[in-house]
Amino acid sequence: MSENRYRVTGMTCGHCVASVTEAVAEVPGVNEVEVDLPGGTVLVRGRDLDDAKVREAITEAGYTVVEPTAV
C-alpha cells in the first residue's frame, strides 16, 4: 500500500470535501481518501496509485493541485 498527499486549493466547505473525496475514490487503485479542509490537503492511500489520474480527478472536480507531497 502506498500513499500520496496533495496540496489542493479552492476547497472551502463540506461540499468541497465530499466532491474531492468522491472523485478521487473512483480512481482505480484508491482505497482511502482523507481530505483536510483547514490544511488544504488530500491524502490518498491505495495500491498502484496513478498520480496523474488522481490529479486529474481533483482537477475535474473543480480544484487545483498545487503539488504532490510524498508521505
Side-chain angles (χ1 to χ4, degrees), residues 4 10 15 18 20-22 26-27 33 38 40 43 53-54 63 69:
N4 292 329
H15 175 73
V20 170
T21 301
E22 182 179 319
E26 292 178 3
V27 175
V33 181
L43 178 64
K53 288 187 179 184
V54 171
Y63 307 94
T69 306

Side-chain angles (χ1 to χ4, degrees), residues 12-63:
T12 60
C13 64
H15 175 73
C16 299
V17 171
S19 294
V20 170
T21 301
E22 182 179 319
V24 174
E26 292 178 3
V27 175
V30 172
N31 292 32
E32 185 179 347
V33 181
E34 290 181 21
V35 177
D36 175 10
L37 184 59
T41 61
V42 177
L43 178 64
V44 181
R45 292 185 182 101
R47 296 200 182 280
D48 302 320
L49 293 176
D50 184 331
D51 179 66
K53 288 187 179 184
V54 171
R55 291 161 73 72
E56 180 180 344
I58 294 169
T59 301
E60 286 182 1
Y63 307 94

